Amino acid sequence: MTKPHLTIVIPSYKEAANMPLLLEQIHSALGDYPYDVLVIDDNSPDGTAETVRSLAEKYPVSVTVRKDKRGLASAVVDGFKLAGGDIVAVMDADLQHPPAVLPRLVRAIEAGADLAVASRYVPGGSVGNWSATRRVISRGAVILSHLLLPSTRGIKDPMSGYFMLRKDVISGIELSPVGYKILLEVICLGCPHQAVEVPFIFENRRAGVTKLSMVTQTDYLRHLLSLMRRTGEFRRIVKFVTVGGTGTLVNLGLLAVLKEWAGLHYLVAGAVAFEVSVVWNFLLNDRFTFRDRKRPDGTLPGRLLRFNVTSLGGFIIYIAILALLTQVFGLYYIVSAAIGILIGFGWNFMVNSAWTWR
Ligand code: GDD
Ligand code: MN
């Protein structure tokens, strides 16, 4: 049986000094596996393209030069369009992504995965000698993506720039990354059926300097928002808030009815009204907000119980913040309540999204 052809897409900007060793290492890592390398260069002034062309005598490599510098992610998207292989890999040019990992990625794909991520965050992987600050930022970015983009939850390193996929994962899909986290786009829009992670250690840059700056952090937040819109996660939050609004009306209405007409003590009426509104919210969220997210092992009573526990937690958070901000920080109680409601809602959404409906 012939092995499926592999195309390695490498975005590059000012990486001339890295190309000879990079291509040599790729070649010796892959042995006789059928592959080609596609360098997408943004008209680097250091002669990256010329260097690659001169190496084309030795290795199966070609270079596409784009005249207007459009950035890392769009280079990868262009590379996807040009890639001829049934399997496509993406890696950096600066040898921070060790080519020795390529065979393990290939094996994962051969074993049935349609996406294989070279991962810094599974056992055996690491970020190397990053500063504490960069570690924290990177971890925070992953947590944020897990919270806001549920389809990334199965992947410990959704920000990796080193991965391999079957071409059909991305065929027919419109990728338009805002920042440079192209893998996020692939996971959220490509919907891979079987994604696996292969550990690797993020090496030091071989030569040249990083092109990414602080701008990439705000780019990342914009990218998250844009993906939330495109995957419907944003609409989910709007639905959740709308349901919460109707639940509040049910809560207040029932409180009045139970107290005024049924003559219950207002605290008893309040507790009953609260619980009824929780069930009300649950049923609407189960039917509308999270319809597509029923865990296979879940049952309606099980979800209701989780929703109840979460809501109670949200209520306690609300009361705690109301008391804290008013008593300790001297805020006007309505302001404290508004902040408490906001945080309580955030808690409810996150926990229910990650636990109740997962
Ligand atoms: N074509 C093109 N255009 N390539 C670019 C551009 C650009 O504007 N900017 C950077 N590149 C290329 C670089 O030449 C390199 O091959 C690769 O993209 C990564 O750029 P670096 O500047 O080395 O990025 P990094 O090391 O800070 O970030 C890497 O690690 C991150 C994980 O922390 C990248 O792999 C990121 O994708 C990854 O998220
Ligand atoms: Mn790098």
Side-chain angles (χ1 to χ4, degrees):
M1 227 177 71
T2 57
K3 291 174 184 289
H5 186 91
L6 164 68
T7 298
I8 303 172
V9 172
I10 303 183
S12 78
Y13 190 68
K14 297 201 267 187
E15 305 286 4
N18 290 312
M19 284 299 171
L21 188 60
L22 174 71
L23 290 167
E24 184 197 312
Q25 287 193 6
I26 290 174
H27 201 67
S28 65
L30 286 172
D32 54 8
Y33 194 92
Y35 80 97
D36 72 300
V37 175
L38 209 59
V39 175
I40 312 290
D41 186 69
D42 278 351
N43 211 12
S44 302
D46 69 343
T48 302
E50 291 75 11
T51 308
V52 174
R53 278 190 208 107
S54 72
L55 288 160
E57 293 166 14
K58 252 172 118 180
Y59 308 109
V61 60
S62 62
V63 58
T64 295
V65 177
R66 311 190 304 170
K67 289 289 180 229
D68 46 337
K69 186 174 184 299
R70 272 165 292 155
L72 163 51
S74 92
V76 174
V77 172
D78 281 2
F80 283 158
K81 289 184 191 135
L82 294 168
D86 310 301
I87 304 177
V88 182
V90 178
M91 70 190 294
D92 291 349
D94 55 4
L95 288 156
Q96 295 197 277
H97 295 158
V101 178
L102 285 169
R104 269 177 278 154
L105 295 173
V106 170
R107 275 201 293 279
I109 299 279
E110 282 178 339
D114 50 4
L115 173 67
V117 177
S119 173
R120 300 160 293 179
Y121 296 135
V122 291
S126 119
V127 293
N129 54 7
W130 276 10
S131 70
T133 321
R134 193 164 174 197
R135 274 169 209 260
V136 169
I137 290 176
S138 177
R139 283 294 191 171
V142 172
I143 291 172
L144 216 55
S145 125
H146 285 171
L147 283 176
L148 298 175
L149 298 170
S151 46
T152 66
R153 281 179 197 158
I155 312 270
K156 296 220 156 52
D157 193 358
M159 313 293 157
S160 179
Y162 193 9
F163 55 92
M164 194 178 282
L165 46 78
R166 283 185 196 279
K167 190 75 168 296
D168 33 352
V169 170
I170 48 164
S171 62
I173 279 156
E174 188 69 42
L175 299 171
S176 53
V178 178
Y180 61 108
K181 307 294 188 187
I182 187 75
L183 178 58
L184 274 186
E185 292 271 316
V186 169
I187 296 169
C188 292
L189 304 176
C191 306
H193 297 296
Q194 197 191 330
V196 299
E197 288 179 270
V198 170
F200 88 106
I201 295 169
F202 199 76
E203 302 284 339
N204 289 330
R205 204 172 223 286
R206 192 80 195 184
V209 290
T210 176
K211 317 298 179 308
L212 307 182
S213 61
M214 273 317 281
V215 186
T216 54
Q217 311 301 344
T218 58
D219 269 357
Y220 172 62
L221 296 179
R222 284 175 43 225
H223 192 191
L224 274 186
L225 265 179
S226 138
L227 271 173
M228 283 171 70
R229 280 209 198 88
R230 282 178 287 152
T231 55
E233 287 309 314
F234 200 76
R235 277 188 63 206
R236 201 191 296 283
I237 293 180
V238 171
K239 284 184 192 170
F240 191 82
V241 170
T242 308
V243 167
T246 67
T248 306
L249 293 181
V250 168
N251 191 339
L252 294 176
L254 196 60
L255 170 64
V257 167
L258 291 177
K259 165 140 191 335
E260 302 303 330
W261 291 349
L264 291 184
H265 184 273
Y266 80 99
L267 283 180
V268 177
V272 173
F274 178 80
E275 182 54 30
V276 170
S277 74
V278 166
V279 174
W280 167 278
N281 282 352
F282 169 77
L283 291 174
L284 287 180
N285 281 322
D286 200 59
R287 178 77 184 77
F288 299 112
T289 318
F290 290 102
R291 185 180 39 201
D292 56 322
R293 288 251 303 280
K294 307 276 164 69
R295 30 196 294 166
D297 59 333
T299 59
L300 191 100
R303 291 196 294 277
L304 176 58
L305 184 69
R306 284 169 186 228
F307 188 81
N308 242 302
V309 172
T310 307
S311 302
L312 223 54
F315 182 72
I316 291 170
I317 289 174
Y318 161 73
I319 293 289
I321 288 175
L322 175 60
L324 184 83
L325 294 185
T326 310
Q327 299 286 324
V328 181
F329 293 93
L331 257 62
Y332 183 52
Y333 74 99
I334 296 287
V335 176
S336 311
I339 295 173
I341 287 172
L342 221 64
I343 296 178
F345 246 114
W347 153 277
N348 278 353
F349 181 78
M350 299 289 187
V351 176
N352 282 315
S353 164
W355 188 50
T356 309
W357 283 283
R358 195 159 67 194

